[in-house]
C-alpha cells in the first residue's frame, strides 16, 4: 500500500527511552545510570533499549544529541605526536564546528547554559566520554587528570562561545590556522605541561 | 511628611532611557550610539540622560547591568609588573565572580548566550570598555590587539562557564590560587606573548 512515512508507535517508544535516559544520566551521572534502570523508567524491556540505541555509550551520545561520535574522533586527536596533541584537538574541534553539524553543537551548548539538566549531561559527556579517555591514552598523571580535563574544557568552551555563539571579532572570523596557532599551545600545556 | 519611597515618575523615565540605550548600543554599537540619539528615542532631553547616568560610558555600564565599574578595576589589573598582568587579571576576575555580585555576572552571561541583543551589548562592553583600554595601557601592538583581546575573552568566558555556570569539577571548586597558576600564564601569553 502507500508509504506510511514515520512510524508513530516506534517513534514514541524511542522518545520515551530518550527521555528516561536524559533523566537518568542527569540525576545519577553516566557511571551509575544503567540500561536496566532506563528501560524500567520508560516501561520497556532492556533488550528494546539495546535494539534502538546499542550500548550505554551510544545511548548517552543519542541522549546528549552531540553530533559527533567521540569514539571515532578521539583516537585521531590523541594518536600521533604527543607534543602536537593540543594543536590537533583545536583543529578537530574547529572542523566539527565549522561543518554543518556546528549548528547542532551550538544548540546543545546554549541549552546546557540555560538548563541545569542539559548542563549535567554535557558535563558528563565531556568528562566521561571525551576527556577521561583522552587523558588515559595520553598517560596523564591520574592525580592531575581531572583538573587538566576541566582546564581544557574551559578553553574549548570559551572558544566555542567567542567564535560561534557570541561572535567576538576577530576570533569569530580568522582562519582556522590562526586559531590553532594561538590556542593549540594553551591546550597542549593544560594536557601535558606545567599547570601549578 | 511621610517618606515617599521610590518615585514612580522618575523611575519610569530612567527605565525608558535604559531601554532606549540598550537598543541603541545593540543596534549601532558603542562608538556610533550617542546620548543625543538615545535621548531622542526615549523622548527626553539629553541633559536628563546626563543627569541620571553621567557620561556615555557610565550609561553603557548601567545598560549592560555589569556589576562592576571597569574604570576602577582596569588600572589595578594593568598597572604594575607587565609580566604578571595575566595573573592579576585572573585574580581580579575570580574576586568579582566569587563575591556576591557573581550571581549578577552569571545572569548577564546567561542572557548574552540566549539573547542576541545582550550578546551584542556584552561584546561591546568587553571589547570597548574593558579590553581595548587594557591593551592601550599595556602598549600592545595595535595590529595584534583585537585578536589578543578576543583570545583573552575566550579563556575568561570559558573559565566563567566552567567554574560558575556549568560547574565542571574540579575547576569549579579548587582554590583561586590553583586557577590563577593554571590560567594566568594563558592570559599572559594572549596579552603579551607569541600567538602566531
Amino acid at each position: 500500500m502507500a508509504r506510511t512515512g514515520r512510524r508513530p508507535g516506534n517513534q514514541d517508544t524511542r522518545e520515551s527511552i530518550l527521555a528516561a535516559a536524559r533523566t537518568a544520566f542527569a540525576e545519577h551521572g553516566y557511571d551509575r545510570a544503567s540500561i536496566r534502570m532506563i528501560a524500567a523508567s520508560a516501561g520497556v524491556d532492556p533488550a528494546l533499549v539495546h535494539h534502538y540505541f546499542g550500548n550505554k555509550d551510544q545511548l548517552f551520545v543519542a541522549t546528549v544529541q552531540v553530533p559527533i561520535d567521540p569514539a571515532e574522533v578521539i583516537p585521531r586527536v590523541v594518536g600521533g605526536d604527543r607534543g602536537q596533541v593540543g594543536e590537533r584537538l583545536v583543529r578537530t574541534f574547529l572542523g566539527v564546528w565549522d561543518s554543518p553539524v556546528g549548528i547542532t553543537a551550538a544548540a546543545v551548548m546554549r541549552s546546557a547554559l540555560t538548563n541545569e539538566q542539559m548542563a549535567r549531561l554535557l558535563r558528563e559527556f565531556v568528562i566521561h566520554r571525551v576527556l577521561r579517555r583522552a587523558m588515559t591514552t595520553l598517560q596523564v598523571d591520574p592525580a592531575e587528570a581531572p583538573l587538566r580535563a576541566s582546564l581544557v574544557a574551559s578553553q574549548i568552551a570559551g572558544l566555542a562561545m567567542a567564535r560561534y555563539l557570541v561572535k567576538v571579532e576577530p576570533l569569530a572570523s580568522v582562519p582556522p590556522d590562526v586559531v590553532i596557532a594561538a590556542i593549540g599551545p594553551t591546550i597542549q600545556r593544560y594536557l601535558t605541561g606545567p599547570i601549578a
Side-chain angles (χ1 to χ4, degrees), chain A:
Chain A
M1 299 291 287
R3 288 182 63 223
T4 52
R6 63 190 279 271
R7 294 164 295 176
N10 293 350
Q11 193 65 25
D12 286 355
T13 305
R14 219 177 165 280
E15 286 303 320
S16 302
I17 295 168
L18 277 180
R22 249 176 232 122
T23 305
F25 285 128
E27 281 183 8
H28 305 290
Y30 178 83
D31 286 337
R32 279 177 299 142
S34 68
I35 294 275
R36 179 190 300 261
M37 172 195 297
I38 290 162
S41 160
V44 303
D45 193 274
L48 201 62
V49 179
H50 288 295
H51 171 71
Y52 280 126
F53 296 99
N55 62 24
K56 186 165 94 168
D57 274 6
Q58 291 163 324
L59 174 60
F60 186 62
V61 171
T63 302
V64 185
Q65 296 182 290
V66 169
I68 55 156
D69 183 354
E72 287 174 24
V73 174
I74 293 170
R76 276 192 277 142
V77 173
V78 297
D81 179 5
R82 195 170 183 270
Q84 308 278 307
V85 62
E87 187 180 302
R88 284 196 303 276
L89 193 149
V90 177
R91 188 183 301 282
T92 301
F93 174 82
L94 294 178
V96 171
W97 281 71
D98 286 336
S99 81
V101 299
I103 292 165
T104 310
V108 169
M109 191 157 154
R110 276 209 176 83
S111 71
L113 290 160
T114 51
N115 176 316
E116 181 62 27
Q117 191 193 51
M118 268 306 295
R120 275 193 228 117
L121 286 174
L122 190 66
R123 212 164 45 203
E124 286 288 315
F125 175 78
V126 170
I127 299 296
H128 291 270
R129 286 273 336 207
V130 179
L131 291 172
R132 191 193 275 180
R133 287 163 199 220
M135 293 290 167
T136 304
T137 309
L138 288 170
Q139 300 184 289
V140 171
D141 177 351
E144 294 181 346
L147 180 58
R148 290 183 180 278
S150 56
L151 288 167
V152 171
S154 80
Q155 176 61 88
I156 291 295
L159 171 58
M161 185 154 41
R163 184 169 166 95
Y164 300 103
L165 270 59
V166 175
K167 295 193 171 60
V168 178
E169 295 293 354
L171 188 55
S173 52
V174 290
D177 282 347
V178 173
V179 181
I180 293 162
I183 296 184
T186 300
I187 303 299
Q188 185 71 44
R189 185 169 65 83
Y190 290 165
L191 285 170
T192 65
I195 55 165

